[in-house]
Amino acid sequence: MNTIVEPSFNPSISARPRPAHVRHVAPGGATVAFDLAAGDRVTLIDPEGLQPGDLYLAGPAGLAAAMLPGVALDAVDAAGTPAAALMHGAPAGWRLLRARLFGADSLPGARCDFTAPGALRCLLHAPGTDMTPDAQDAPTELIADIVRAEPLSGQAPPPLAEPVLDLRVAAGTAHAYRVKAGDYIQVIDVDGRQCSDFLAFDAEALARGQEYDLDPTTTRTLTGTASPGPGLLSKYYDERQVALVEVVRDTVGRHDTFMLACSAKYYDDMGYPGHANCSDNFNNALEPLGVARRAGWPAINFFYNTIVNHDDSIGLDEPWSRAGDYVLMRALTDLVCASSSCPDDIDPANGWYPTDIHVRVYDASNNFSKGIAHRMTPDATPRLTRESGFHARTSALTRNMVEYRGFWLQTSFAANGPIDEYWACRERAAMIDLSALRKFEITGPDAEALLQRATTRNIRKLAVGQIVYAALCHEHGGMIDDCTVFRLAQNNFRLVCGDDWCGVWLRELAAQHGLRAWVRSSTDQLHNLSVQGPKSRDILRDIVVTPPTSASMDELKWFRFSVGKIDGCPVVVSRTGYTGELGYEVWCHPKHAVQVWDAVARAGEPYGIAPMGLAALDMLRIEAGLMFAEYDFCDQTDPFEAGIGFAVAADKEDDYVGKAALERRKAHPARVMVGLDIEGSELVAHGDPIYNGRAQIGQITSTTRSPILGKTIALARLDVSAAEPGATVEIGKLDGHQKRIHAKQVRFSHYDPEKARVRG
C-alpha cells in the first residue's frame, strides 16, 4: 500500500504560469496524438523537407472544413487509419477529417497554420517505409507547434503507465509515502526550474527502529560520480553500502548530492528567520512514521544546479529542468520515501519562484526503458537514449554499457576485456557497434553545391562510389565536426558525422544561399557495424554478395563503398574505419542488424573475430592519430591545429564556410598537434597542461597506454614555437608545478604513420 502522510505546512504560493507554447513531434514513419482547445494556434512544420504528412482531426459535426487555408479536409472512416483511436469514446455526432500536407517537393521548414475552432482530438502522421542502405528515402519527423489560447499552469505530463500513486507536492511542502520493492518512482518538475529533495529509508529496518537512508557521500564514493544516472553507475546507497534505489531515466542530468536539503539555519543566516525549509518539512512529514527529526537532511536534491568552482567553492544557479522533466527510479527494497518542493525564493535555486512537484509510483510489472534525455538544439523535444539494432546481441555479451551521443554502446565485453579486444583487432579481427554516428541524406540539384560550400574538401572531384574525409567549420575557422561524405549518385550524397546539429547547420546554409538541396536525417534508418583488423577482408569476402556492377571485397579500395547483401539483407559496405587497421563498415537497416551481426560473427569465428567496445577503440584510434570531438578538436581549433590539415583542400577555388579564416590560420599557425611519448608509467589525462619551464605551452588532448608500443602515449596541442620532433616537454600534475612528468615529441601518428596497414 502506497500510504501518504499529509504535510503539516502548506504555504499559499501560486504556481508560475507554464509557457503557452507546446511542441509535439511525429517521428518519421510514426504518429503523435494531441488535444486542442478553442483558440489554440497550431503550426505544422516539415523541418527537413520532402516529408508528406496526414493530419487527422476528430471533432463535432460542424467542424469547419476551411480551417486550414488552401488545404482540403476530407471526411474519412476511422477504421483502418492510424487515427482510429481518436474516435474511441467520442461524443455522438463527432466525425473524423483528414488533411494531406506537404509532399514530394516540400522545402525544409515548410509550414501550415490554423486555429482550432473548438475542442479537437488530433493525430499527426509522418508516413514512410524502411529505407534500404543504398536508398535515400528516409522518413523524417513532422512537428506540431501549439500556442495555447489559455496558458497551462501546474499540469503534469501524461503518466508513463497506470500509476498506483499519483501525488501532488504543493510548492513549499513535503510528503512522505511508501513504495514497494520493484516499483518505480517518478519525480516530475511540473513547471520547470524547481528543486525537489528526495529521501528514502529501508522500510523493514525503519520498522525495527533503525534509520538507514540514502547517503550521498557513500553513493559518490561507490559510484565515482557526482550523481548516479541511467546505465552502469545508476544506484543510490545508504550508509551500510546497500543500494536502495536505481535511476532508470533522467531527462535533466543535473542534480546535487553535495548539499543538505535547505534548513532553518540557512535562512536564518541569510536574514530570513522563520522561513519555510525542506528539512523542517521533512521532519513534519516523517515524524509520524517514527523518523527522528534532524536539523538538516542529507537528501538527493533533484534538479538542484550545484556548481563546484575551480577554487573549491560551491555555488548554485537556476535548475536546468524544464516543464515536465523528470527522474524515474526503481525501488530495490521496500521503502519509506519523502519528496519536497523546495520553498527557496531568496536565490536562483528555484528560478526565484517555487512551484509544484508531482510524484507518481508505478507497479513493478512495468518495464521502462533506460535512458538520458538529449536535445539536438536547445528548443528541440528531448529524446531518451535508444538502443541500436545490434543491442540484442551486444547486451547479451556485456552489461558494461555507456550512454554515448543518445545511444547505449558497449565499453567492453565481459568475456574478453579491452586489452584482449584491442589485440583481436590488431592481429585478427574485431566487430564494434558504431550506430551512434549521425547520418544525413543530401539530395537535390544543388546537393553538390551545398557540400562544396560546407566542407573543406573539393566535392566536385568526388566520384560516384567514393568517400572523402572532411571538416565542417565555422566562419572563424573553428571546427563544427569532422565527417565522411559518400557520393551515391550525381546529385546524391550521404554525410556521416558525430553531431546532430550538423544537419540543422547544413539546412540553414542551403536556405541562406538559396540552394535546392534537402538534408534529411537517416540515423535511425541506418545502423553500422565496423569490422576491423587484418582478417576483416577474409571474413567479409565470403558473405558479402555484390552485383556485377559493384566492387567485391577484394576489389574495394580505401575510401570507396560497395552495395550488396549479407545473408540476404541489403547492405552498403565501405572501406573505412577508426582503428588504423584494414577495415570495413557494414551499413544496414536496424531491422536487419541482428541478422548481419550473426552472419559476420559466424564467418569470423574461424579467424578469431571478437566483439570490441569503445575502450579498446580509444586505444586504437589514439595510436593511429585519429581525432575525437571535444578532445582533439572543438569550435576553438581549426583543422590544422587538430592534426587534419590534409582535409583542407589546397586546390579548392570555390568559396566555403571558413575558407578565408583557414587560409589566414594556415599562413600564421599558432598551435600544432604533436605526438608524445610519456616517460614512465604514470597516468596523464585529457586537459593536462604541458610546460616549458614556468610557461604553459599546450595541453594533452588524448592519451592511452599503448599495448603494442608498450608505453604511455598522447596526442597534444602545442604552441607552434615549441613543436620540435625529439624535443622534451613536461606535463604538469597537481597544480601543474609541484610535479612534472617528462615527455618527448615524436612523429604523429605513433603507429603506422604511413597508413600502410589501412591501405593494404
Side-chain angles (χ1 to χ4, degrees):
M1 179 117 181
N2 300 97
T3 55
I4 306 170
V5 177
E6 292 295 333
S8 59
F9 174 70
N10 188 4
S12 176
I13 302 178
S14 59
R16 175 171 54 229
R18 194 173 185 180
H21 177 260
V22 182
R23 170 171 287 190
H24 297 280
V25 177
T31 64
V32 64
F34 51 93
D35 293 332
L36 297 176
D40 287 352
R41 300 196 308 277
V42 183
T43 301
L44 304 173
I45 307 169
D46 177 10
E48 300 187 17
L50 301 183
Q51 177 59 50
D54 291 326
L55 176 66
Y56 293 89
L57 302 165
L63 188 63
M67 77 170 79
L68 278 80
V71 178
L73 274 172
D74 302 315
V76 294
D77 183 356
T81 72
L86 293 184
M87 297 300 287
H88 290 168
W94 272 38
R95 63 175 180 164
L96 184 67
L97 300 181
R98 178 179 62 193
R100 299 235 182 232
L101 306 169
F102 312 122
D105 58 351
S106 176
L107 294 176
R111 57 187 57 213
C112 179
D113 301 284
F114 71 95
T115 300
L120 299 172
R121 298 176 184 173
C122 306
L123 184 136
L124 182 61
H125 181 211
T129 57
D130 296 337
M131 186 188 83
T132 56
D134 59 336
Q136 296 187 280
D137 55 346
T140 57
E141 67 181 26
L142 295 177
I143 296 172
D145 265 338
I146 303 168
V147 178
R148 300 288 187 188
E150 297 292 334
L152 300 176
S153 180
Q155 180 173 314
L160 304 176
E162 184 65 30
V164 296
L165 175 67
D166 209 0
L167 171 65
R168 177 57 61 102
V169 182
T173 70
H175 281 270
Y177 50 96
R178 294 182 181 272
V179 179
K180 297 184 213 174
D183 284 0
Y184 295 87
I185 310 158
Q186 185 187 22
V187 179
I188 307 166
D189 185 354
V190 178
D191 289 307
R193 303 197 307 277
Q194 173 62 46
C195 299
S196 177
D197 301 324
F198 176 74
L199 306 178
F201 298 80
D202 182 325
E204 184 179 345
L206 190 61
R208 299 193 303 266
Q210 298 173 306
E211 293 182 10
Y212 294 116
D213 54 313
L214 295 176
D215 185 85
T217 303
T218 300
T219 297
R220 292 195 305 269
T221 301
L222 294 181
T223 62
T225 182
S227 65
L232 197 61
L233 306 175
S234 61
K235 295 180 176 66
Y236 282 98
Y237 296 84
D238 65 18
E239 56 266 45
R240 301 170 299 177
Q241 302 185 5
V242 173
L244 298 186
V245 297
E246 175 186 18
V247 180
V248 178
R249 290 182 181 177
D250 185 352
T251 68
V252 180
R254 183 79 162 190
H255 313 285
D256 170 72
T257 60
F258 289 90
M259 313 292 278
L260 295 173
C262 65
S263 63
K265 179 171 174 51
Y266 170 71
Y267 295 105
D268 290 348
D269 291 348
M270 294 293 290
Y272 296 89
H275 195 288
N277 63 87
C278 287
S279 290
D280 283 344
N281 288 346
F282 279 142
N283 288 332
N284 295 334
L286 290 166
E287 196 169 31
L289 296 173
V291 177
R293 301 179 73 89
R294 302 186 194 179
W297 278 97
I300 307 303
N301 305 311
F302 287 129
F303 316 129
Y304 197 101
N305 185 4
T306 295
I307 303 160
V308 180
N309 298 306
H310 70 279
D311 61 355
D312 285 341
S313 63
I314 300 178
L316 62 93
D317 204 344
E318 293 187 13
W320 289 5
S321 54
R322 309 183 191 192
D325 274 334
Y326 66 87
V327 175
L328 180 70
M329 297 168 283
R330 181 171 169 266
L332 300 178
T333 188
D334 289 350
L335 299 174
V336 169
C337 300
S339 291
S340 76
S341 167
C342 180
D344 188 349
D345 58 0
I346 67 170
D347 57 42
N350 298 307
W352 301 96
Y353 202 105
T355 53
D356 293 354
I357 289 293
H358 203 96
V359 175
R360 290 185 175 124
V361 176
Y362 305 102
D363 186 77
S365 61
N366 290 287
N367 185 20
F368 298 112
S369 64
K370 296 182 179 181
I372 300 168
H374 285 265
R375 288 179 169 90
M376 182 175 65
T377 58
D379 62 342
T381 302
R383 188 171 185 187
L384 286 170
T385 314
R386 58 248 206 215
E387 299 172 355
S388 82
F390 303 102
H391 188 81
R393 290 294 180 264
T394 57
S395 61
L397 299 172
T398 183
R399 294 174 300 280
N400 197 354
M401 293 280 181
V402 64
E403 206 281 347
Y404 179 75
R405 293 186 179 272
F407 282 81
W408 290 117
L409 294 185
Q410 60 284 348
T411 302
S412 63
F413 287 85
N416 302 97
I419 298 298
D420 285 350
E421 295 163 19
Y422 166 93
W423 283 113
C425 187
R426 281 281 182 243
E427 297 176 341
R428 307 184 306 277
M431 50 200 293
I432 180 170
D433 178 5
L434 290 180
S435 300
L437 291 172
R438 271 32 181 188
K439 302 98 182 174
F440 297 96
E441 308 303 316
I442 304 174
T443 58
D446 294 330
E448 181 185 82
L450 173 60
L451 288 171
Q452 188 75 345
R453 185 170 287 278
T455 72
T456 56
R457 299 305 281 261
N458 193 343
I459 300 300
R460 299 194 196 284
K461 290 186 174 182
L462 194 63
V464 174
Q466 190 178 5
I467 308 166
V468 69
Y469 176 72
L472 306 174
C473 295
H474 295 283
E475 287 286 2
H476 71 281
M479 288 181 62
I480 298 170
D481 208 348
D482 61 346
C483 65
T484 51
V485 179
F486 294 56
R487 188 165 208 154
L488 281 73
Q490 182 62 34
N491 296 317
N492 299 64
F493 299 85
R494 176 172 293 151
L495 185 141
V496 181
C497 60
D499 195 336
D500 268 320
W501 187 74
C502 292
V504 177
W505 180 75
L506 286 167
R507 283 189 288 274
E508 291 176 348
L509 188 64
Q512 178 185 345
H513 293 279
L515 300 175
R516 284 186 60 80
W518 287 267
V519 181
R520 290 169 293 150
S521 174
S522 58
T523 301
D524 292 331
Q525 296 284 317
L526 199 63
H527 290 182
N528 53 303
L529 181 65
S530 189
V531 183
Q532 303 285 305
K535 300 298 183 182
S536 56
R537 180 187 289 121
D538 298 327
I539 293 168
L540 294 179
R541 175 188 293 121
D542 295 332
I543 62 172
V544 179
V545 180
T546 58
T549 54
S550 296
S552 68
M553 294 303 96
D554 286 316
E555 298 167 329
L556 193 60
K557 296 180 180 179
W558 193 34
F559 272 82
R560 297 273 180 164
F561 68 89
S562 194
V563 175
K565 289 187 176 182
I566 292 180
D567 200 22
C569 302
V571 295
V572 165
V573 181
S574 60
R575 192 167 156 192
T576 51
Y578 195 49
T579 64
E581 288 289 346
L582 171 69
Y584 302 80
E585 289 179 277
V586 180
W587 312 79
C588 66
H589 192 275
K591 70 180 180 182
H592 294 135
V594 167
Q595 196 171 345
V596 168
W597 175 283
D598 290 345
V600 173
R602 283 194 305 270
E605 188 173 359
Y607 297 94
I609 195 170
M612 187 172 77
L614 298 176
L617 181 66
D618 203 44
M619 300 178 201
L620 293 158
R621 70 96 187 164
I622 293 172
E623 289 177 349
L626 302 175
M627 300 299 104
F628 186 47
E630 303 305 326
Y631 277 68
D632 305 299
F633 70 83
C634 67
D635 57 8
Q636 298 302 302
T637 55
D638 61 48
F640 306 105
E641 294 171 329
I644 58 168
F646 64 87
V648 180
D651 62 346
K652 185 174 178 179
E653 296 182 357
D654 294 339
D655 192 20
Y656 60 90
V657 179
K659 181 180 182 181
L662 292 179
E663 289 175 346
R664 182 178 68 252
R665 285 172 177 247
K666 182 180 180 181
H668 305 284
R671 299 172 295 178
V672 64
M673 185 72 77
V674 302
L676 295 180
D677 281 353
I678 313 299
E679 184 178 290
S681 58
E682 291 197 69
L683 295 177
V684 296
H686 164 73
D688 280 353
I690 300 172
Y691 290 89
N692 182 3
R694 293 285 298 179
Q696 183 176 343
I697 56 171
Q699 68 176 28
I700 300 291
T701 63
S702 290
T703 181
T704 189
R705 180 72 181 177
S706 168
I708 200 166
L709 300 176
K711 56 189 173 185
T712 301
I713 64 173
L715 306 179
R717 193 158 26 250
L718 298 184
D719 186 274
V720 67
S721 65
E724 181 183 347
T728 299
V729 295
E730 293 180 313
I731 301 166
K733 303 298 288 186
L734 302 178
D735 66 349
H737 297 287
Q738 294 183 61
K739 181 178 181 179
R740 296 285 178 87
I741 297 173
H742 293 280
K744 184 174 72 172
Q745 296 182 45
V746 296
R747 186 176 180 184
F748 174 78
S749 55
H750 290 82
Y751 180 71
D752 189 25
E754 303 296 338
K755 308 300 181 188
R757 296 177 70 88
V758 71
R759 295 174 185 270

